[in-house]
Amino acid sequence: MKNRTSEYEVCHPKWDWYKVKDHQLDLDFQKMYGTDFACLNEQQPVSVMLAEGSPVEVKIKKYVA
């Protein structure tokens, strides 16, 4: 459906996270996600963290009015 936004609820236990002292990105956003994301190749992240993840449950899609 064109011009409609949908949302999904993602449920998981609280994840432990850690501050990152140093990082390096080796990713071409344009190659990975298309030309609309090429500008990210020239930007630095606002924040970087490391999280211990877990399995997640994705609930039913809802359309946002």
Side-chain angles (χ1 to χ4, degrees):
M1 295 181 191
K2 192 173 181 178
N3 297 325
R4 290 189 68 185
T5 300
S6 56
E7 69 178 22
Y8 299 84
E9 179 182 3
V10 179
C11 302
H12 58 79
K14 183 178 176 185
W15 292 344
D16 290 331
W17 63 275
Y18 309 93
K19 291 183 180 179
V20 174
K21 294 180 181 180
D22 191 23
H23 73 281
Q24 178 180 338
L25 286 177
D26 185 14
L27 171 70
D28 184 333
F29 286 95
Q30 181 174 351
K31 258 188 189 174
M32 184 73 82
Y33 301 110
T35 55
D36 289 344
F37 294 88
C39 62
L40 295 177
N41 288 331
E42 309 304 321
Q43 296 183 13
Q44 291 296 312
V46 174
S47 66
V48 179
M49 73 172 84
L50 172 66
E52 287 188 46
S54 67
V56 299
E57 178 184 358
V58 179
K59 301 283 186 162
I60 297 173
K61 175 169 59 173
K62 296 184 219 173
Y63 288 102
V64 179

